[in-house]
Amino acid sequence: MTTETRKAYLLAAEQAVQLLATEGVARSWDEESVLPGMSVGGLAGHLARSVLQVEWFLDGPVAGAEPVSPVHYYARLAGTTVPGSSLNVGVRARGEETAAAGPAAVAEEAHAAWQRLADRLGKEPADRRVSVLHRPGEEMLLDGYLQTRCVELAVHLEDLALSVGTRCSAHEAALAIAVDVLVAAARERHGDQAVMHALARRERDAGQALRVL
């Protein structure tokens, strides 16, 4: 699974850096994206962080805490559909912070990080851990974290593309990882009966059990 996860991540990350470098993204930087309350630049910054953060986290300190699984990483999230939740406020703030450098700088930085990761990830051991720097004291296995980045890339590649009037979907390998992680997170959050309703009896899906983000 290690090689497949890393390959899928790098393919989707390559798509992201290519999209970030397009004229349409730069031209629409200050406009509102398809995500209410988030500019195209802020969304681009958020997408870029799925490349940049991997490198930042690899370089962060590791203390040996019990690693969080990619499924629990999402299952525990609260306020995902509430624009004013602390979760979403933090996401927007970090995206805008990255976007402040401007479209050219963000695209260049993300591309450079992707190039370094394309070489570096193949050299990291299967048990490599990373620190989740915006959650002090929390750690994940590298490949578990890359699975969460496949989720983010799969979701936000399409968001950013639609925001600038084009279409882009993540590579099928990253999409498959994203679906597996999010369905497993839905099962952990809501239980199998609720997920079964969402899949087969939508009229009984009162809690939108498959909605994780």
Side-chain angles (χ1 to χ4, degrees), residues 8 26-27 33 55 59 73 85 89 98 100 115 135 153 168 190 194 196:
R27 185 174 56 247
S33 73
E55 193 169 46
D59 292 335
Y73 182 92
S85 69
V89 169
T98 300
Q115 287 184 309
R135 296 180 182 274
L153 290 165
C168 180
H190 297 287
M196 189 278 288

Short mmCIF file of all heavy atoms in Angstrom, two decimals, residues 8 26-27 33 55 59 73 85 89 98 100 115 135 153 168 190 194 196:
data_model
loop_
_atom_site.label_atom_id
_atom_site.label_comp_id
_atom_site.label_asym_id
_atom_site.label_seq_id
_atom_site.Cartn_x
_atom_site.Cartn_y
_atom_site.Cartn_z
N ALA A 8 -0.11 7.62 -5.96
CA ALA A 8 -1.40 8.28 -6.15
C ALA A 8 -1.34 9.73 -5.68
O ALA A 8 -1.85 10.64 -6.35
CB ALA A 8 -2.50 7.52 -5.40
N ALA A 26 -4.81 32.73 -11.72
CA ALA A 26 -4.20 34.03 -11.41
C ALA A 26 -5.17 35.17 -11.67
O ALA A 26 -5.28 36.11 -10.87
CB ALA A 26 -2.93 34.20 -12.24
N ARG A 27 -5.90 35.09 -12.77
CA ARG A 27 -6.81 36.17 -13.15
C ARG A 27 -7.98 36.29 -12.18
O ARG A 27 -8.50 37.39 -11.93
CB ARG A 27 -7.33 35.90 -14.57
CG ARG A 27 -8.21 37.00 -15.14
CD ARG A 27 -8.56 36.76 -16.59
NE ARG A 27 -9.20 35.47 -16.79
CZ ARG A 27 -8.67 34.46 -17.47
NH1 ARG A 27 -7.46 34.57 -18.00
NH2 ARG A 27 -9.33 33.32 -17.61
N SER A 33 -14.78 32.15 -4.83
CA SER A 33 -14.74 30.80 -5.37
C SER A 33 -16.12 30.16 -5.27
O SER A 33 -17.09 30.80 -4.82
CB SER A 33 -13.72 29.95 -4.60
OG SER A 33 -14.23 29.62 -3.31
N GLU A 55 5.75 18.52 3.05
CA GLU A 55 7.15 18.80 3.29
C GLU A 55 7.37 19.43 4.66
O GLU A 55 8.29 19.06 5.39
CB GLU A 55 7.66 19.73 2.19
CG GLU A 55 9.17 19.86 2.15
CD GLU A 55 9.64 20.58 0.91
OE1 GLU A 55 9.07 21.63 0.56
OE2 GLU A 55 10.61 20.10 0.29
N ASP A 59 9.46 17.70 7.96
CA ASP A 59 10.58 18.39 8.62
C ASP A 59 10.29 18.76 10.07
O ASP A 59 11.15 19.30 10.77
CB ASP A 59 10.95 19.66 7.84
CG ASP A 59 11.55 19.35 6.48
OD1 ASP A 59 12.11 18.25 6.32
OD2 ASP A 59 11.45 20.20 5.57
N TYR A 73 -8.99 10.94 11.49
CA TYR A 73 -8.65 12.34 11.18
C TYR A 73 -9.89 13.08 10.69
O TYR A 73 -10.12 14.23 11.06
CB TYR A 73 -7.56 12.35 10.11
CG TYR A 73 -7.05 13.71 9.70
CD1 TYR A 73 -5.94 14.28 10.33
CD2 TYR A 73 -7.65 14.42 8.67
CE1 TYR A 73 -5.45 15.52 9.94
CE2 TYR A 73 -7.17 15.66 8.28
CZ TYR A 73 -6.07 16.19 8.92
OH TYR A 73 -5.58 17.43 8.53
N SER A 85 -17.80 27.85 11.76
CA SER A 85 -17.20 26.97 12.76
C SER A 85 -15.71 27.25 12.89
O SER A 85 -15.08 27.76 11.97
CB SER A 85 -17.41 25.51 12.39
OG SER A 85 -16.66 25.16 11.23
N VAL A 89 -13.20 28.39 9.88
CA VAL A 89 -12.49 29.67 10.04
C VAL A 89 -10.99 29.44 9.95
O VAL A 89 -10.26 30.19 9.28
CB VAL A 89 -12.87 30.35 11.36
CG1 VAL A 89 -11.94 31.53 11.65
CG2 VAL A 89 -14.32 30.83 11.32
N THR A 98 -1.50 31.61 3.06
CA THR A 98 -0.66 31.11 1.97
C THR A 98 -0.87 31.94 0.71
O THR A 98 0.10 32.26 0.00
CB THR A 98 -0.99 29.63 1.70
OG1 THR A 98 -0.73 28.88 2.88
CG2 THR A 98 -0.14 29.08 0.57
N ALA A 100 -1.51 35.00 0.38
CA ALA A 100 -1.02 36.38 0.47
C ALA A 100 0.24 36.61 -0.36
O ALA A 100 0.53 37.73 -0.77
CB ALA A 100 -0.75 36.74 1.93
N GLN A 115 8.27 18.80 -6.68
CA GLN A 115 9.48 18.20 -7.27
C GLN A 115 10.35 17.56 -6.20
O GLN A 115 10.87 16.45 -6.39
CB GLN A 115 10.28 19.26 -8.02
CG GLN A 115 9.65 19.70 -9.34
CD GLN A 115 10.52 20.67 -10.09
OE1 GLN A 115 10.97 21.68 -9.54
NE2 GLN A 115 10.78 20.38 -11.36
N ARG A 135 -1.98 20.83 14.77
CA ARG A 135 -2.58 20.15 15.92
C ARG A 135 -1.44 19.71 16.83
O ARG A 135 -0.99 18.56 16.75
CB ARG A 135 -3.43 18.96 15.48
CG ARG A 135 -4.64 19.34 14.65
CD ARG A 135 -5.43 18.11 14.24
NE ARG A 135 -6.57 18.43 13.42
CZ ARG A 135 -7.78 18.79 13.87
NH1 ARG A 135 -7.97 18.86 15.17
NH2 ARG A 135 -8.75 19.06 13.04
N LEU A 153 -6.99 16.81 -2.09
CA LEU A 153 -6.73 17.07 -3.50
C LEU A 153 -7.93 16.67 -4.36
O LEU A 153 -8.32 17.41 -5.28
CB LEU A 153 -5.48 16.32 -3.95
CG LEU A 153 -4.16 16.85 -3.38
CD1 LEU A 153 -3.03 15.84 -3.57
CD2 LEU A 153 -3.78 18.19 -4.04
N CYS A 168 -11.66 19.73 -13.73
CA CYS A 168 -10.50 18.92 -13.39
C CYS A 168 -10.90 17.96 -12.28
O CYS A 168 -11.46 18.39 -11.26
CB CYS A 168 -9.34 19.81 -12.92
SG CYS A 168 -7.85 18.88 -12.48
N HIS A 190 -21.11 7.71 12.01
CA HIS A 190 -22.56 7.50 12.06
C HIS A 190 -22.99 6.07 12.31
O HIS A 190 -24.14 5.83 12.68
CB HIS A 190 -23.20 7.96 10.74
CG HIS A 190 -23.02 9.42 10.46
ND1 HIS A 190 -23.70 10.39 11.15
CD2 HIS A 190 -22.23 10.06 9.56
CE1 HIS A 190 -23.35 11.58 10.69
NE2 HIS A 190 -22.46 11.41 9.73
N ALA A 194 -26.70 3.63 9.53
CA ALA A 194 -26.95 4.93 8.91
C ALA A 194 -26.30 5.02 7.53
O ALA A 194 -26.89 5.57 6.58
CB ALA A 194 -26.42 6.05 9.81
N MET A 196 -25.69 2.48 5.55
CA MET A 196 -26.48 1.63 4.67
C MET A 196 -27.70 2.37 4.16
O MET A 196 -28.05 2.30 2.97
CB MET A 196 -26.90 0.35 5.41
CG MET A 196 -27.55 -0.71 4.51
SD MET A 196 -29.31 -0.42 4.20
CE MET A 196 -29.99 -0.85 5.81
#
